[in-house]
Amino acid sequence: DTEVTQTPKHLVMGMTNKKSLKCEQHMGHRAMYWYKQKAKKPPELMFVYSYEKLSINESVPSRFSPECPNSSLLNLHLHALQPEDSALYLCASSLTSNYEQYFGPGTRLTVT
Amino acid sequence: DQQVKQNSPSLSVQEGRISILNCDYTNSMFDYFLWYKKYPAEGPTFLISISSIKDKNEDGRFTVFLNKSAKHLSLHIVPSQPGDSAVYFCAARGGGPGGGADGLTFGKGTHLIIQP
């Protein structure tokens, strides 16, 4: 099983809403990542979790709040987002941070 | 400051021929390089990788070459097939203070079109 799943596939939210994106993998991977991808741009790293601990936060605004409740799950909590935060949010995992990353299909987020 | 560069936004190749996708990087701290393939509305799919201590890695129709002195890598696909039409991203790891715990830095991608 080399699958990373993400829910929901699509999300539309207002600027005052609170929502969460979910990511799950059952490959025994101990590193998990959030990336943001805008149209016609490459994915950009947001957060890295290694052994359930946040190891990298790439200067992401506090309206994005990651959470890693266990080694299989990664959440991204969203609050008071701006329209420019609309993007494809990709989750990835790797065995450890030294191995290739496997990506989920992404959540297409639209902020109105 | 773009640390990973793919200078060809698109590439058109005839079916059966060789596709060569190029990637340049500027950060000499990168220690691991990867190629991903991406279809619209899907996440990137891992294709092949190479460690900085090697100069070639081969997997079926895909071969990645690394020239460290030139800070250049390339992905060769031979023979090219219609299903290879997609956006290909070059990615690199290890360029920051976190060492191996870094995420990936991606190039902007090259759209490969395989023509019948």
Side-chain angles (χ1 to χ4, degrees):
Chain A
D1 180 10
T2 58
E3 195 178 21
V4 177
T5 58
Q6 290 187 245
T7 55
K9 280 193 85 166
H10 301 276
L11 178 63
V12 180
M13 61 186 289
M15 289 190 283
T16 58
N17 291 159
K18 278 187 183 181
K19 296 283 184 185
S20 296
L21 309 184
K22 295 186 186 304
C23 173
E24 193 165 359
Q25 56 86 16
H26 295 288
M27 297 179 275
H29 288 179
R30 302 311 298 272
M32 296 186 78
Y33 312 79
W34 280 114
Y35 290 83
K36 173 182 177 179
Q37 186 177 22
K38 302 278 277 183
K40 300 194 187 302
K41 299 277 189 183
E44 291 182 355
L45 181 68
M46 299 175 73
F47 301 105
V48 180
Y49 273 84
S50 184
Y51 292 89
E52 294 98 72
K53 288 191 180 350
L54 182 64
S55 62
I56 300 260
N57 174 343
E58 288 285 356
S59 304
V60 179
S62 59
R63 57 186 184 269
F64 295 91
S65 175
E67 178 199 18
C68 189
N70 60 56
S71 60
S72 300
L73 289 173
L74 185 66
N75 298 322
L76 186 62
H77 302 297
L78 314 172
H79 173 55
L81 294 194
Q82 304 296 311
E84 59 264 28
D85 296 321
S86 298
L88 180 69
Y89 287 84
L90 293 161
C91 173
S93 72
S94 58
L95 186 61
T96 67
S97 56
N98 290 322
Y99 288 79
E100 63 273 8
Q101 295 177 23
Y102 292 88
F103 284 80
T107 293
R108 175 70 60 189
L109 174 68
T110 303
V111 182
T112 59
Chain B
D1 175 26
Q2 214 184 325
Q3 298 188 67
V4 178
K5 300 177 190 178
Q6 293 176 259
N7 292 320
S8 298
S10 66
L11 175 68
S12 186
V13 175
Q14 211 161 11
E15 181 179 356
R17 302 270 193 153
I18 183 170
S19 295
I20 300 176
L21 297 109
N22 293 304
C23 178
D24 298 291
Y25 63 95
T26 57
N27 191 332
S28 56
M29 297 292 288
F30 288 139
D31 63 357
Y32 193 58
F33 302 89
L34 308 91
W35 284 95
Y36 285 85
K37 175 180 177 180
K38 188 175 186 302
Y39 294 116
E42 292 185 11
T45 301
F46 170 70
L47 274 177
I48 193 168
S49 61
I50 188 166
S51 164
S52 60
I53 61 173
K54 296 191 172 181
D55 55 20
K56 179 182 173 182
N57 188 25
E58 196 170 346
D59 183 1
R61 295 187 298 117
F62 302 94
T63 303
V64 56
F65 295 92
L66 175 62
N67 182 333
K68 270 187 76 174
S69 59
K71 293 194 176 69
H72 176 83
L73 63 154
S74 60
L75 174 67
H76 293 212
I77 307 173
V78 56
S80 301
Q81 299 174 354
D84 296 330
S85 295
V87 177
Y88 287 77
F89 287 101
C90 171
R93 190 204 69 196
D102 289 350
L104 298 175
T105 302
F106 284 83
K108 289 189 173 182
T110 295
H111 186 192
L112 177 64
I113 302 158
I114 305 301
Q115 301 202 334

